[in-house]
Amino acid sequence: MTRVLLPLLLALLPVQAAASPVVVAILDSGVDASHPAFAGRIVDGYDVWYDDADPDDGCGHGTALAGIVAQLAPDAAIMPVKVMADECYGTYSRMAEGIVYAADAGADIILIASGGYAPSDSLAAAVAYAQGRGALVVAGAGNDGTDAPFYPAAYATLATAAVDRLCGPYYRSNY
């Protein structure tokens, strides 16, 4: 995401009272909630992969993504939803379960930075469910430099792609 995208997404949401910050669910490898950048900003999440209430990050990817959110949206709350194993791989079924969890838990934005090239009825249904609950589903378009559909980005409200340092298309970003 560029430095402009997340603030723009937050601006698209209905105005909320100061006591109710925008909640961004990070569906990834978990989040290291002890990191100082997240002090006072983490809301209850869930570990779908290991089926417990401790969505701690085993590989660092989710924490890095949450760090971007924390930097670009300083008033947003962060909901960690661990849908990947500690080795940073996942499945559509766990991703779909995480999307439903985040929607039911009141996430305003559901941010997903992983996926695959095979379509999935359960993943499409989970995205539609979250959208029906009013969540903005944001998903990465992939990192292989192709125009092939990447899921769940192909189902998402908003698919994101990467740019290079000059804001041109990044050669590895899907489009």
Side-chain angles (χ1 to χ4, degrees), residues 14-94:
V15 176
Q16 297 193 6
S20 179
V22 171
V23 176
V24 180
I26 307 292
L27 273 66
D28 209 281
S29 61
V31 173
D32 177 2
S34 69
H35 193 288
F38 310 134
R41 302 197 42 202
I42 300 290
V43 298
D44 288 343
Y46 190 71
D47 183 338
V48 173
W49 193 268
Y50 298 107
D51 193 25
D52 63 38
D54 182 19
D56 194 42
D57 196 347
C59 70
H61 192 267
T63 300
L65 187 58
I68 294 168
V69 171
Q71 182 68 32
L72 297 178
D75 296 326
I78 296 169
M79 176 191 296
V81 181
K82 184 172 183 162
V83 297
M84 298 168 74
D86 286 340
E87 297 79 20
C88 264
Y89 65 87
T91 66
Y92 280 170
S93 63
R94 286 188 174 103

Side-chain angles (χ1 to χ4, degrees), residues 127-156:
V127 169
Y129 176 80
Q131 292 168 335
R133 304 262 321 192
L136 176 65
V137 180
V138 181
N143 299 318
D144 297 311
T146 179
D147 66 352
F150 192 75
Y151 302 92
Y155 304 132

